[in-house]
Amino acid sequence: MAQDSGTRTLISQAQLERGRGRIIYWTLLAVVVVAFTLVFIGPLYWMVTGALKSGQEIAQTPPSLYPKDPQPQNYVDAWNNLDLAKLLFNTFYYATGAVLFQLVLDTAAAYSLSKLRPIFGNAILGLMLATLMIPAMVLIVPQYVTVIDLPILHLNLLDSPFAIWLPLVANAFNIFLLKRFFDSIPEDLMAAAFVDGATPLRTLWSIILPMSRPILGVVSIFAVTAVWKDFLWPKLVMPSPETRTVSVGIYAFAGGTPMNVVIAASVIAAIPTVVIFLIFQRNIMSGLTTGSLKG
């Protein structure tokens, strides 16, 4: 069979068809796949199995590869002693608010920059993208000063969910991601909507958003994971035990709690994000790889 002249590969088809070439190719592929699998799965395996070990077993050197005497009671102790139900509810509440705020405000900003094209729109987008070059740690102090004394209104937002929601709204990466997707939507659809008398808001609601479900799903996942994994900012702005997130709550109890119970709590805290990814992984991949729409 003749090879397609337009196909370019690292190894030619003729080399793959040879006995030694095929063996070398599949051996290298298997080694690379296994190596990367161990790198990514190894810490998860250690966390899950460590939560089933006793305190003495998890502290021994060298560590055991599997629990010799599994103790599922560690998960029950973690759920009850660390009040994980309350911590998970708080985190889910903050994540839900972050998703709603970002979907509304970031989508509106991206739509205006992409389709409405305001004056100095490119300059505004450039300044927004420039903020991605600023390390997140540098912004901690000015953000905290803003939270404890909100300008104009002079409100203290400590222990308020708005202390988490408002900084997440100004997400330059998500706005840029949404704008690039909106740019791929044909202008003919916009022109046809305007001819029919649709307002810009009506066009956004009836045409743009239904076509943008994949990228909106990606932004939602980013918002959820940003809240779920964040530690430093919630620790600063949520000092009360009643308003802690799950990561801050586990850290607060870690000092006087056995390590195996803390690891079990970490496993429980990680389950929701893993489940969300497994459910929406197809939407995530399609949203990130969609580059154009055919008219």
Side-chain angles (χ1 to χ4, degrees), residues 181 209-220 282-288 290:
F181 190 92
L209 292 183
M211 301 177 66
S212 306
R213 290 176 182 174
I215 196 64
L216 294 178
V218 171
V219 172
S220 300
R282 182 173 299 178
N283 294 334
I284 296 173
M285 298 306 173
S286 62
L288 291 175
T290 301

Side-chain angles (χ1 to χ4, degrees), residues 227-292:
V227 174
W228 214 275
K229 71 180 182 180
D230 198 7
F231 171 77
L232 179 59
W233 183 247
K235 181 173 174 56
L236 292 175
V237 300
M238 296 295 179
S240 174
E242 290 75 19
T243 59
R244 288 171 177 166
T245 61
V246 66
S247 58
V248 177
I250 293 175
Y251 170 80
F253 286 98
T257 306
M259 184 57 63
N260 52 348
V261 177
V262 174
I263 296 175
S266 301
V267 173
I268 296 175
I271 289 176
T273 54
V274 175
V275 172
I276 290 174
F277 174 78
L278 293 178
I279 294 175
F280 297 103
Q281 61 176 330
R282 182 173 299 178
N283 294 334
I284 296 173
M285 298 306 173
S286 62
L288 291 175
T289 56
T290 301
S292 63

Side-chain angles (χ1 to χ4, degrees), residues 116-165:
L116 303 184
R117 296 191 176 95
I119 300 176
F120 304 120
N122 291 334
I124 294 174
L125 179 63
L127 292 174
M128 292 172 56
L129 294 179
T131 61
L132 297 177
M133 302 295 105
I134 303 176
M137 292 299 102
V138 177
L139 301 176
I140 291 293
V141 173
Q143 285 181 349
Y144 185 77
V145 172
T146 302
V147 164
I148 61 177
D149 186 13
L150 192 65
I152 301 176
L153 299 178
H154 299 290
L155 297 176
N156 188 331
L157 298 180
L158 293 182
D159 281 328
S160 169
F162 287 96
I164 292 180
W165 293 339

Side-chain angles (χ1 to χ4, degrees), residues 16-199:
L16 287 178
E17 291 177 352
R18 298 173 184 172
R20 180 177 298 179
R22 180 177 300 177
I23 294 175
I24 294 175
Y25 172 79
W26 286 109
T27 301
L28 291 177
L29 180 62
V31 170
V32 171
V33 170
V34 171
F36 275 91
T37 300
L38 292 177
V39 169
F40 287 102
I41 301 298
L44 296 177
Y45 173 80
W46 182 90
M47 182 172 66
V48 173
T49 57
L52 295 172
K53 297 178 181 179
S54 63
Q56 294 79 8
E57 186 178 1
I58 200 172
Q60 73 179 22
T61 303
S64 57
L65 294 179
Y66 57 90
K68 298 178 181 178
D69 183 20
Q71 299 182 2
Q73 183 65 28
N74 292 338
Y75 287 98
V76 179
D77 294 340
W79 182 267
N80 295 328
N81 298 344
L82 276 65
D83 196 13
L84 285 181
K86 177 63 175 177
L87 297 176
L88 289 172
F89 174 80
N90 290 343
T91 310
F92 180 78
Y93 174 62
Y94 301 147
T96 302
V99 169
L100 295 178
F101 272 101
Q102 289 200 23
L103 288 182
V104 173
L105 299 179
D106 288 3
T107 299
Y111 175 67
S112 62
L113 292 172
S114 175
K115 298 303 182 183
L116 303 184
R117 296 191 176 95
I119 300 176
F120 304 120
N122 291 334
I124 294 174
L125 179 63
L127 292 174
M128 292 172 56
L129 294 179
T131 61
L132 297 177
M133 302 295 105
I134 303 176
M137 292 299 102
V138 177
L139 301 176
I140 291 293
V141 173
Q143 285 181 349
Y144 185 77
V145 172
T146 302
V147 164
I148 61 177
D149 186 13
L150 192 65
I152 301 176
L153 299 178
H154 299 290
L155 297 176
N156 188 331
L157 298 180
L158 293 182
D159 281 328
S160 169
F162 287 96
I164 292 180
W165 293 339
L166 295 182
L168 289 175
V169 170
N171 193 310
F173 177 75
N174 285 345
I175 294 175
F176 176 72
L177 204 63
L178 288 165
K179 180 185 179 299
R180 288 297 302 268
F181 190 92
F182 293 162
D183 288 342
S184 67
I185 297 178
E187 293 292 339
D188 294 343
L189 296 176
M190 301 289 298
F194 291 147
V195 168
D196 290 339
T199 62

